[in-house]
Amino acid sequence: MRIADKIAARQTFSFEIFPPKGELPLEEARAVATELAADRPDWISVTYSAGGSGNSANTVPIASSIEHELGVTALAHLTCLGSTRADVDAYVSGLADAGIENVLALRGDRAPGREAIDFEHASDLIEHLRASGADLCIGAACYPEGHVESPTEEESFESLYKKQEAGADYLVSQLFFDNEDFYRFREKCLRHRVRLSIVAGIMPFTSVKQIQRMAFTCGASIPAKVVKRLVLAGDDPADQARAGVEYACEQLVDLAANGVDGLHVYSMNKPAVAHAAHEALLACGYLGA
């Protein structure tokens, strides 16, 4: 089923999985996906890494397994930086052969040796996918606090508008730690003519080092209430992880209560994190039993 149709029908709940890298067996990713599927998400997204990181070739097989073996809608990521039109067309052909109709169109992170070839922006990729005639439901990324490479708020929203006009069906947000940032972003989207549904993406922090890394790479600010949680958790890694998951669950419950279009959990291949999120929403009545 097309994810845009699911979002139009109800408030959705979903997870993300990333395939194993290098020589790790695909069975490991399938095992994680099987545990995630037990919580009956509306979809499970599967990441894609370009530039030789070692897991992009696993995206389609894992998405196919999720879709056809587990009976859960799969969302296959596609990044375009460093790819040619022929590369993208071959990937899309593979999706079609595997019966996957949902794709998340992304530019991808800049890295040494990974430069734009045929696609400079995600909107270029979306435009190409639409022009190709592929029967795809296309999601795109958004950034509640602005893209780290956008010098102004206006430019960040202009990029979002281009994705919409190129043919994106809905948006999935990058992580954020203050729900008020998301609510302000949602209002600003309307003022900037961006009217797509927006799924809120939440990633639980599991350590001080992890949250620092996420804030730097994603441009997400760390509010004082998160810092206080980490201070209270102390130096024990288990206590830090527990505090992060609890905080993320509180975020999800608040977002659900405030009528967001969907809730997407970046579960970091940790089924326990996904289960905690599912249980928190179930307990508050935001998910069906």
Side-chain angles (χ1 to χ4, degrees), residues 15-71:
F15 300 127
E16 178 179 284
I17 185 174
F18 51 87
K21 297 180 181 180
E23 299 302 318
L24 292 176
L26 290 176
E27 284 69 24
E28 180 177 328
R30 290 193 177 101
V32 172
T34 298
E35 291 199 57
L36 297 184
D39 286 328
R40 295 187 292 175
D42 288 290
W43 76 85
I44 297 175
S45 68
V46 186
T47 63
Y48 174 102
S49 294
S53 67
N55 71 359
S56 59
N58 295 330
T59 302
V60 174
I62 293 173
S64 179
S65 176
I66 290 169
E67 186 95 26
H68 303 298
E69 297 174 21
L70 301 179

Side-chain angles (χ1 to χ4, degrees), residues 31-273:
V32 172
T34 298
E35 291 199 57
L36 297 184
D39 286 328
R40 295 187 292 175
D42 288 290
W43 76 85
I44 297 175
S45 68
V46 186
T47 63
Y48 174 102
S49 294
S53 67
N55 71 359
S56 59
N58 295 330
T59 302
V60 174
I62 293 173
S64 179
S65 176
I66 290 169
E67 186 95 26
H68 303 298
E69 297 174 21
L70 301 179
V72 177
T73 297
L75 172 62
H77 289 209
L78 170 59
T79 62
C80 62
L81 198 63
S83 296
T84 64
R85 291 184 179 87
D87 293 332
V88 168
D89 292 342
Y91 181 78
V92 171
S93 178
L95 290 176
D97 291 343
I100 306 300
E101 62 180 343
N102 294 285
V103 65
L104 187 67
L106 307 165
R107 186 201 69 182
D109 296 330
R110 295 191 186 279
R114 190 190 305 169
E115 306 298 333
I117 301 175
D118 289 333
F119 305 98
E120 179 66 38
H121 305 287
S123 55
D124 300 328
L125 172 61
I126 296 168
E127 185 176 18
H128 176 75
L129 293 174
R130 286 293 178 225
S132 73
D135 186 18
L136 293 170
C137 178
I138 302 174
C142 62
Y143 303 82
E145 297 178 73
H147 194 284
V148 291
E149 294 181 20
S150 293
T152 67
E153 183 177 276
E154 283 295 323
E155 288 190 37
S156 188
F157 278 104
E158 184 60 28
S159 294
L160 272 185
Y161 182 74
K162 288 180 179 177
K163 293 178 185 180
Q164 172 182 279
E165 296 305 288
D169 292 302
Y170 62 95
L171 301 171
V172 180
S173 88
Q174 183 56 271
L175 62 94
F176 55 91
F177 297 109
D178 190 335
N179 286 2
E180 293 304 318
D181 289 330
F182 182 84
Y183 300 140
R184 284 191 291 269
F185 169 74
R186 186 169 58 171
E187 294 175 2
K188 289 178 180 179
C189 278
L190 295 177
R191 295 203 296 270
H192 287 83
R193 304 171 293 160
V194 177
R195 295 176 173 82
L196 297 174
S197 299
I198 309 171
V199 175
I202 296 296
M203 179 183 286
F205 59 85
T206 56
S207 69
V208 173
K209 287 185 178 179
Q210 184 216 25
I211 196 172
Q212 290 173 334
R213 184 173 64 253
M214 290 191 296
F216 181 81
T217 57
C218 303
S221 58
I222 306 175
K225 54 189 174 183
V226 170
V227 175
K228 291 178 181 177
R229 291 287 184 101
L230 286 168
V231 170
L232 290 173
D235 296 327
D236 183 74
D239 289 339
Q240 290 181 4
R242 189 177 303 109
V245 173
E246 289 175 354
Y247 183 81
C249 288
E250 292 170 14
Q251 279 190 276
L252 290 164
V253 169
D254 179 74
L255 289 163
N258 280 277
V260 301
D261 296 312
L263 303 160
H264 188 62
V265 181
Y266 298 107
S267 59
M268 302 166 291
N269 283 14
K270 297 179 179 179
V273 170

